[in-house]
Amino acid sequence: MNKKIRIGVLRETKNPPDRRVAIPPVTGLQILNKYPHVSIYIQPSDIRCFTDSEYREQGYFLTDDLRDCDILIGVKEVAIPTLIPNKTYLFFSHTAKEQLYNRELLQQIINRNITLIDYEYLKNSKNKRLVAFGHWAGVVGAYKALRARGVRTDFFDLPPASACKDMEEMYMHLKKISLKPIKILLTGGGRVAMGAMQTLRVLNLKEVTPTQFLHENFNEPVVCRIDPEHYVERIDGAVFSVQDFYENPTLYRSTFKPFTKVTDLFIACHYWDPKSPKFLKPEDYKEEDFKISVIADVSCDLNGPIASTLRASTIASSFYGYERFTEEETIPFIDKRNVTVMAVDNLPGELPRDSSIDFGEALYQNVYDYLFGEDPDGVVERATIAKGGQLTAHFAYLQAYLEGEDVLRI
């Protein structure tokens, strides 16, 4: 007989606030039905996208005190003062890449004998992630790119995604706009890029090949999605291999520059390795025929491949300007010679209900069997950063970071 497990759903404590939740009401009912030995307690929240009353109406017990729970589930980093010793936590900790701003969080997790399971590292035997919000980052990121285009040109006005109840309402607004003949470029081929393409396809835009995009003119708006073979090449001239590029990024150089001469709106949804070539260097923006006016950096790699991404922006203040010649941040939309930048790093938070339902369903389908029962494939084990007052073997490389030694943040 399975041991009784009490689940506590945390209120989000990170600032700026995040309205998402890992167990929406409907998903919780699925859990309770499938796992009779599991009970769920909800910590009240006045910002959560699903209200306290929505949980109460479905029969959940709401309580501020989760000390009797065994597993505590949130989305973003948990505020240190609220950490309860000797519990198991699931959330995105942003510690495994040695992020300096979360070192104290990991130290306190170790000190309080907390078991930390990080969503980012829940993967199957083929190293494929089992749960992620990436698709929704792309969905919202492309919408915000179009919104920036509208504000910049005064051709149309889209409401913020965060003001929409859900994706359906957001797309309803999108269907009302009309684009002038522009060229939209999108980099990436994963779930983030596919989410962005989903949004762009609402407008029924003509999709063209990289060759057409670079060399042809169109009397209608067009979009082009490119993969690594279109923006890098082997330095020695060898035939491109995507596997080789991922394994040996230092052997490649960028071929992205021609796209800067013909692109109006650039939506960056690619995965980027710090060892791989950069897309846009500061000197590229200074060239007379540089054409890109809006860059929606959905990937948002700071100090990374796109020089104009000076910092992450926020849902409340999503855009800033980049002065092409001084390389400084400016007020957005004032000087049309500057590049408009969107670099929000928590985009799924703008459609919290949709993204929460999707994320909760992925956890239900792919993770809870291992979390609430046996874990023969080591799915939960591989995602466990800390346990028993120390780092696990998979994350032992964090020891110097944990102890406060100077490290480079990836």
Side-chain angles (χ1 to χ4, degrees):
M1 184 175 180
N2 288 322
K3 175 188 173 184
K4 295 287 186 182
I5 298 176
R6 298 181 182 89
I7 303 299
V9 177
L10 298 165
R11 72 166 63 95
E12 294 299 311
T13 53
K14 186 172 182 180
N15 194 38
D18 197 301
R19 302 180 62 214
R20 290 173 291 174
V21 63
I23 302 183
V26 65
T27 310
L29 295 180
Q30 290 178 287
I31 294 170
L32 295 173
N33 183 59
K34 184 176 180 179
Y35 307 100
H37 63 295
V38 171
S39 53
I40 299 175
Y41 301 85
I42 309 297
Q43 200 169 45
S45 170
D46 58 4
I47 63 167
R48 188 180 289 133
C49 59
F50 295 96
T51 64
D52 292 346
S53 61
E54 286 181 276
Y55 282 99
R56 287 194 185 96
E57 288 168 4
Q58 296 298 329
Y60 293 93
F61 182 73
L62 276 70
T63 176
D64 281 302
D65 188 354
L66 299 179
R67 287 176 295 179
D68 288 337
C69 292
D70 306 295
I71 302 174
L72 303 173
I73 297 181
V75 176
K76 302 290 280 187
E77 297 99 313
V78 174
I80 291 173
T82 70
L83 289 170
I84 304 173
N86 308 313
K87 302 297 182 183
T88 294
Y89 278 81
L90 273 78
F91 58 87
F92 287 105
S93 73
H94 300 114
T95 57
K97 294 180 182 178
E98 302 177 342
Q99 290 96 326
L100 297 182
Y101 56 89
N102 279 333
R103 178 162 55 195
E104 185 184 0
L105 172 62
L106 185 56
Q107 289 171 338
Q108 290 300 322
I109 284 170
I110 296 289
N111 292 342
R112 301 184 194 195
N113 193 38
I114 288 170
T115 297
L116 171 62
I117 302 168
D118 194 310
Y119 295 128
E120 188 171 352
Y121 301 95
L122 287 167
K123 301 178 181 180
N124 63 18
S125 58
K126 296 181 180 178
N127 204 39
K128 182 179 178 180
R129 287 184 63 178
L130 297 175
V131 295
F133 281 102
H135 169 80
W136 294 97
V139 166
V140 176
Y143 179 84
K144 292 180 80 69
L146 294 168
R147 181 168 179 254
R149 173 72 181 180
V151 174
R152 184 180 172 103
T153 61
D154 292 326
F155 290 153
F156 56 87
D157 184 20
L158 286 169
S162 57
C164 301
K165 177 183 177 182
D166 51 24
M167 183 181 70
E168 184 178 353
E169 182 183 331
M170 186 182 80
Y171 282 171
M172 179 189 70
H173 293 294
L174 192 58
K175 289 175 183 177
K176 296 176 182 178
I177 74 168
S178 178
L179 290 176
K180 301 286 186 179
I182 63 168
K183 288 185 174 182
I184 302 172
L185 181 69
L186 191 148
T187 50
R191 65 182 78 192
V192 179
M194 293 305 102
M197 288 300 296
Q198 173 184 305
T199 293
L200 294 174
R201 284 172 178 150
V202 170
L203 295 173
N204 297 312
L205 302 178
K206 181 182 180 67
E207 297 178 29
V208 300
T209 67
T211 300
Q212 290 175 311
F213 191 86
L214 285 170
H215 302 294
E216 296 181 23
N217 294 318
F218 301 89
N219 59 4
E220 61 182 311
V222 299
V223 60
C224 177
R225 187 189 63 77
I226 58 176
D227 291 307
E229 60 262 36
H230 303 118
Y231 55 77
V232 295
E233 66 182 6
R234 282 270 304 210
I235 295 172
D236 61 7
V239 177
F240 178 87
S241 161
V242 67
Q243 189 64 33
D244 180 64
F245 173 57
Y246 291 146
E247 293 176 356
N248 304 290
T250 57
L251 300 181
Y252 288 77
R253 63 187 168 203
S254 173
T255 58
F256 185 75
K257 184 176 287 191
F259 289 100
T260 70
K261 314 303 181 183
V262 298
T263 300
D264 297 289
L265 194 161
F266 173 31
I267 304 174
C269 300
H270 52 266
Y271 167 78
W272 185 71
D273 186 313
K275 299 186 183 71
S276 61
K278 296 188 175 185
F279 283 77
L280 288 169
K281 298 179 180 178
E283 55 267 29
D284 296 330
Y285 296 77
K286 297 179 174 66
E287 295 188 1
E288 188 175 342
D289 55 351
F290 182 88
K291 194 169 189 288
I292 304 173
S293 61
V294 175
I295 298 179
D297 191 353
V298 180
S299 299
C300 196
D301 294 298
L302 302 183
N303 300 314
I306 299 174
S308 53
T309 303
L310 301 175
R311 61 174 176 84
S313 53
T314 65
I315 291 174
S317 182
S318 298
F319 310 109
Y320 56 86
Y322 176 79
E323 214 294 328
R324 292 166 51 200
F325 299 98
T326 65
E327 305 171 25
E328 296 177 343
E329 180 178 335
T330 63
I331 299 172
F333 308 121
I334 300 298
D335 188 339
K336 299 298 175 64
R337 294 171 297 180
N338 297 337
V339 176
T340 300
V341 177
M342 188 290 296
V344 176
D345 62 357
N346 61 333
L347 287 164
E350 292 216 49
L351 289 180
R353 291 178 73 95
D354 292 289
S355 59
S356 293
I357 290 171
D358 189 49
F359 188 76
E361 182 65 19
L363 280 168
Y364 174 73
Q365 295 289 344
N366 302 320
V367 175
Y368 290 144
D369 279 353
Y370 305 117
L371 184 65
F372 302 151
E374 301 296 322
D375 187 21
D377 298 328
V379 170
V380 173
E381 178 192 355
R382 289 192 298 273
T384 302
I385 294 178
K387 187 175 184 179
Q390 61 185 7
L391 296 168
T392 63
H394 293 289
F395 295 91
Y397 68 89
L398 294 173
Q399 191 62 42
Y401 158 76
L402 181 66
E403 294 173 358
E405 297 179 17
D406 290 335
V407 291
L408 290 175
R409 179 175 62 179
I410 296 177

